[in-house]
Amino acid sequence: MCGIFAYKGYQTNATELVFEGLKNLEYRGYDSWGIAWKKNQQIQVYKQVGKISEASSEPFAEQESTLAMSHSRWATHGAVTQNNAHPHFSSDQSIAVIHNGIIENYQEIRDRLGRSRFSTETDTEVIAELIAEYRKTMDFESAAKKACHEFEGRYAFIAMSQEDDMLIAARRGSPLILGVAAGEWFLASDIPAFLKHTREVNYLDDDQMVVIGEEARFIDLLSDMEIQKRTVTIDWTEEEAQKGDYDHFMLKEIMDQKETIMRAINQNEEEILKIAEYIKKARGVFLSGCGTAGKVCMASEYFFSIVANRHVNFAPASEFPIYHHFLIPESLLIVVSQSGETADVLEAMKVAKEKGAKVLSIVNVQGSSIARTSDFSLQINAGPEKAVASTKAATSQLSLLLLIAYAVAGRLEEGKKLLIETASMINDMLNPRFLKYIKEVADAINHSEHTYIIGKAANYPMALESAIKIQEVSYIHAEGFAAGELKHGPIALITPGTPCIALIAEDEVRQDILNSTMELKSRGAYIIGVSPNMHECFDHWIRVPDAGIASPIVNVIPIQLLAYHLSVLRGCNPDMPRNLAKSVTVK
Ligand code: F6R
């Protein structure tokens, strides 16, 4: 969802600084953007519809300012217009605000303050208006605190005041991180915004506020007391957050998989064994996540079943709350999330905790809300993932969950060996010849309007994941099926020439999925086989290494590449698919 980034310090080009930093958050929202800055005690605002990456910094070049804030929007309330873009002013122009989240009681606040005071369709405007209202009779900090007590819903907002040389920010449910350097403060919804300037951070928790004047002070909004926060040094580098020589982040992140599997399994063994013991003792283990992370969970059900002989239940996070009947204090919920901020996952965790159950999280973003509020947390260490479509995070999550399944089976070393071999095979697979071949396959199916993907066992969830990848970046209608389900309905969709992708492993179900593939071929389907071995029914053979039970990790990578090329061939932007945002912080 929306990206927010603000600066207060001694650099006099604050507007350009937030303009550049915001570009690094564009993956969070890209329908419109805006900047507010203070110059000669006046707040100035500039906003535009469109992508910040396509905008010029010219309007900010001459703006001497040491205090500025910026926002890239992913619309929730109100159409994509310049008027609805942030920052938003209070009606008397004394307060400007940027916001990520949803103020659920905004209609109520509008009614109370008088509808004529509002000029946009957004919920955000009430934040500025309410603070401005209270600021008439009290200082900026007290006004912001008082307003926060009235907001319902989720927010991370930053406010600037005409009268005060300060930034005030608060969070409940949406991410907000303070980057700190000597005499400088950077407030952002995600670290890449300020990685160039500092790696020292304070994570704000829910119901906390930070007031940045001469120094930064933290306030707990539940008690209104000042609190101390620990400064953490993050280990991402600026280089990792850039796309280097690649045309798109998506391609860069696919290629990062040459290394990321090794980073995912490079864990503290004692910690993994402790978690394995917990899983063994738990009475009821659930796996939950959204979208791609959800498909990773679903594949891991098979890993736990096949490797560790353990029954683990998967439910998408948005559906998980209905399972509350089955939760007891001895239950364990394992949540998987790249961003560590997904609202549905946080809600699933809340439901589990209310029943006294424990939560293990597997995240990529260090210090994220999900990581900080779980009982145990493991990081996949994939480095920043900026393309909206999740690629390297997914294979890292799969690798770590497979490793845990091996640990539960008491065969950690065997699992490690398999995954090290898999990492090395992926490194070999991603060679220029392989990349060229996938592009040729994309050329062959580029004009199709429908694609179907089949898989069996742990490759069935990967068929579902492959469909997500193709849909979201190329807008081709793609659907994944369990191979054996074809004959129960979906095969009616096949007409001569329909591209069908079969994800095949050298395992005990190989013959079954080959039979299903031949059934498709008999109806005229154009078959793309992703498999360690050739079969006569393939029109295209994408040769992948034989990774045994780790085959879902290997098989999904060529489909990520295929989706990428389909996107580019069809003139889409693979990094910023329409209607989607990288971090889904609304329910
Ligand atoms: C698809 C994709 C999404 C995310 C989902 C969960 O490529 O990226 O489906 O997987 O929104 O996000 P996280 O993993 O951040 O919880």
Side-chain angles (χ1 to χ4, degrees), residues 290-293 337-339 342 388-390 468-469 472 584:
C290 298
T292 293
S337 172
Q338 187 286 131
S339 62
T342 302
V388 165
S390 187
I468 296 184
K469 282 292 92 72
E472 68 181 334
V584 186

Side-chain angles (χ1 to χ4, degrees), residues 335-575:
V335 292
V336 180
S337 172
Q338 187 286 131
S339 62
E341 299 293 347
T342 302
D344 287 327
V345 177
L346 284 162
E347 186 63 25
M349 290 169 67
K350 188 168 151 232
V351 168
K353 285 176 173 185
E354 276 165 7
K355 290 292 183 105
K358 291 278 186 286
V359 178
L360 159 67
S361 64
I362 294 185
V363 299
N364 190 31
V365 179
Q366 186 187 357
S368 54
S369 305
I370 291 173
R372 283 177 299 127
T373 53
S374 33
D375 299 285
F376 319 96
S377 187
L378 294 174
Q379 234 183 282
I380 56 170
N381 301 315
E385 191 182 69
K386 293 177 86 176
V388 165
S390 187
T391 53
K392 62 177 177 175
T395 49
S396 296
Q397 292 157 351
L398 283 167
S399 304
L400 182 49
L401 279 155
L402 181 55
L403 188 74
I404 295 172
Y406 270 99
V408 171
R411 291 152 54 201
L412 180 59
E413 284 313 308
E414 185 187 334
K416 227 167 138 184
K417 186 166 169 285
L418 167 72
L419 284 156
I420 290 170
E421 280 164 10
T422 304
S424 156
M425 290 190 286
I426 289 172
N427 188 33
D428 287 349
M429 180 176 81
L430 286 171
N431 61 57
R433 202 178 53 172
F434 184 79
L435 301 185
K436 186 163 167 277
Y437 185 62
I438 304 290
K439 190 161 179 305
E440 282 167 28
V441 179
D443 275 326
I445 63 168
N446 167 27
H447 297 293
S448 311
E449 280 314 308
H450 309 277
T451 304
Y452 301 102
I453 307 104
I454 59 167
K456 198 166 169 67
N459 277 296
Y460 159 47
M462 288 304 104
L464 303 180
E465 163 55 11
S466 301
I468 296 184
K469 282 292 92 72
I470 295 172
Q471 288 158 5
E472 68 181 334
V473 298
S474 75
Y475 314 144
I476 292 175
H477 168 231
E479 275 189 70
F481 298 107
E485 283 294 297
L486 277 178
K487 56 188 176 293
H488 299 290
I491 204 158
L493 296 167
I494 306 303
T495 53
T498 308
C500 290
I501 304 170
L503 304 181
I504 300 169
E506 285 302 310
D507 58 13
E508 74 223 66
V509 297
R510 177 172 183 270
Q511 195 50 50
D512 291 339
I513 187 162
L514 280 173
N515 292 344
S516 303
T517 312
M518 285 188 287
E519 285 160 20
L520 289 168
K521 179 79 175 175
S522 316
R523 272 85 190 167
Y526 185 77
I527 304 291
I528 298 157
V530 178
S531 163
N533 290 300
M534 175 56 179
H535 189 272
E536 59 189 6
C537 69
F538 298 165
D539 293 289
H540 278 282
W541 174 31
I542 298 180
R543 183 181 191 164
V544 288
D546 179 0
I549 181 78
S551 78
I553 304 170
V554 170
N555 282 356
V556 77
I557 294 176
I559 310 304
Q560 297 169 347
L561 276 167
L562 185 67
Y564 170 77
H565 285 301
L566 287 171
S567 174
V568 175
L569 284 170
R570 291 164 71 96
C572 313
N573 179 348
D575 285 347

